[in-house]
Amino acid sequence: MDYYAILNVSPEADTEEVKQAFRQLARQFHPDVAGEGSRERFQQIRQAYQVLSDPEQRRRYDAQRQSSPPSNTSSGSSREGQVVIRTGSPSQAPLDSELLKEGIARVRAAWRNRQLPTAVAQAEALLKRFPNSSEAVHILALAYQRFGNYLIYEGRNQQAEAYLRKALATEPRNRELAFEVKRDLARLGIQA
């Protein structure tokens, strides 16, 4: 098995890069998240991380890897199961995009289940993970607005106002959001 390919890192990757790649892939392929069908892939990821994160095991693995003769594809041997190593940002972008989509889906699921504090926490974590994403900013602003609206119905007006103002501050140029927040603040008797 090519542990570098499994973690999608270069053989020159340092320990921190290996750790980050492992965490990202483990979140994506953990059987609790991706389903039972991902169990084998998750085991491979975990095994690759165990070897590459331990300096002594990695040294032995690298030595073995260099002494192994490359497979001869002209002799008709199968290339099935081989993994292509991709390094740099092109391979990172699709993975990040998928993680962002999954995070947004979790926030929306929390809304549907009326778990609004959870939705806010997940949206805040999503923006922390993807600070330059306009989608993450938008979903956080919506989470604040929905939670503020919910707090109005709960009669927790001070908290409602705080979350509604956070929504405005998070995405100040969103006219639709501003309209909704101003309407909610008006219900509290507050001018925006």
Side-chain angles (χ1 to χ4, degrees), residues 132-156:
N132 299 324
S133 168
S134 60
E135 293 174 72
V137 169
H138 180 68
I139 206 78
L140 178 59
L142 290 177
Y144 284 153
Q145 188 271 330
R146 288 180 183 212
F147 189 46
N149 189 292
Y150 168 78
L151 290 169
I152 291 172
Y153 286 110
E154 290 285 306
R156 296 162 43 191

Side-chain angles (χ1 to χ4, degrees), residues 34-56:
E36 284 301 312
S38 68
R39 185 170 297 282
E40 185 178 329
R41 176 82 167 115
F42 180 73
Q43 293 297 345
Q44 290 176 341
I45 292 165
R46 199 170 75 196
Q47 183 179 358
Y49 176 68
Q50 286 174 341
V51 171
L52 297 181
S53 64
D54 180 273
E56 182 58 28

Side-chain angles (χ1 to χ4, degrees), residues 98-154:
E98 279 302 310
L99 290 174
L100 179 61
K101 286 178 186 175
E102 289 171 11
I104 290 171
R106 282 194 297 275
V107 173
R108 292 178 191 254
W111 287 341
R112 283 191 300 277
N113 295 327
R114 304 243 182 241
Q115 298 170 329
L116 297 170
T118 301
V120 167
Q122 289 175 338
E124 286 173 337
L126 198 61
L127 184 60
K128 188 174 183 179
R129 172 79 171 86
F130 301 100
N132 299 324
S133 168
S134 60
E135 293 174 72
V137 169
H138 180 68
I139 206 78
L140 178 59
L142 290 177
Y144 284 153
Q145 188 271 330
R146 288 180 183 212
F147 189 46
N149 189 292
Y150 168 78
L151 290 169
I152 291 172
Y153 286 110
E154 290 285 306

Side-chain angles (χ1 to χ4, degrees), residues 15-36:
T15 306
E16 188 59 34
E17 288 174 286
V18 169
K19 185 178 188 180
Q20 287 176 351
F22 167 73
R23 285 182 175 173
Q24 210 167 33
L25 291 169
R27 278 193 300 263
Q28 183 179 0
F29 290 102
H30 194 283
D32 291 346
V33 175
E36 284 301 312

